[in-house]
């Protein structure tokens, strides 16, 4: 069978797809999740700075962050603490959560084997 025609579960993961599951187990490339997080931060920096609209945007973004990153997405709720929307627009929370998730150890939900230094731990 052609390697590219095998079901996704039988393919070897590439670096771009490491950690490729949503919180509910649906597969998605990390690059796509990172792009969604980046777009949400850009919207929060521009449109999300309106006082009433921004609070709703922050709540929606926190929900999306939980869907993308699981429990780590709950850290996006801190943005609700600023009702003026003047401070949290400059903190790229979604992007920081995405970057923190990219630092996952090899072998944690990536399908890859842990490195020798990680085996020694």
């Amino acid at each position: 069978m052609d390697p590219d025609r095998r079901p996704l579960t039988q393919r070897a993961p590439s670096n771009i797809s490491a950690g490729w599951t949503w919180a509910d187990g649906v597969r998605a490339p990390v690059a796509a999740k990172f792009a969604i997080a980046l777009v949400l931060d850009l919207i929060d920096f521009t449109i999300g700075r309106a006082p009433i609209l921004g609070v709703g945007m922050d709540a929606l973004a926190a929900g999306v962050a939980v869907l993308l990153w699981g429990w780590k997405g709950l850290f996006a709720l801190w943005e609700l603490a600023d009702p003026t929307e003047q401070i949290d627009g400059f903190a790229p929370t979604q992007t920081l959560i995405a970057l923190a998730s990219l630092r996952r150890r090899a072998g944690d939900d990536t399908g890859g084997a842990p490195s020798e230094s990680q085996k020694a731990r």
Side-chain angles (χ1 to χ4, degrees):
M1 177 180 271
D2 182 23
D4 290 328
R5 292 206 172 274
R6 288 183 295 183
L8 204 53
T9 56
Q10 295 177 359
R11 293 184 200 170
S14 64
N15 289 340
I16 194 75
S17 63
W20 53 7
T21 58
W22 297 72
D24 63 357
V26 177
R27 292 196 173 104
V30 170
K33 291 165 61 171
F34 186 77
I36 292 169
L38 190 62
V39 167
L40 286 173
D41 275 335
L42 289 173
I43 291 171
D44 189 34
F45 181 70
T46 55
I47 301 168
R49 293 194 59 207
I52 295 171
L53 180 64
V55 173
M57 171 64 194
D58 290 341
L60 178 69
V64 171
V66 170
L67 287 174
L68 289 173
W69 310 109
W71 66 267
K72 294 175 190 175
L74 293 174
F75 287 112
L77 289 173
W78 84 268
E79 292 189 357
L80 292 173
D82 178 26
T84 64
E85 297 299 320
Q86 300 308 306
I87 298 171
D88 72 58
F90 293 102
T93 305
Q94 300 278 343
T95 305
L96 293 174
I97 294 170
L99 289 173
S101 294
L102 291 176
R103 295 189 65 214
R104 237 186 258 178
R105 292 183 318 137
D108 289 351
D109 193 31
T110 62
S115 65
E116 291 301 318
S117 64
Q118 291 168 340
K119 287 180 185 177
R121 288 187 206 164

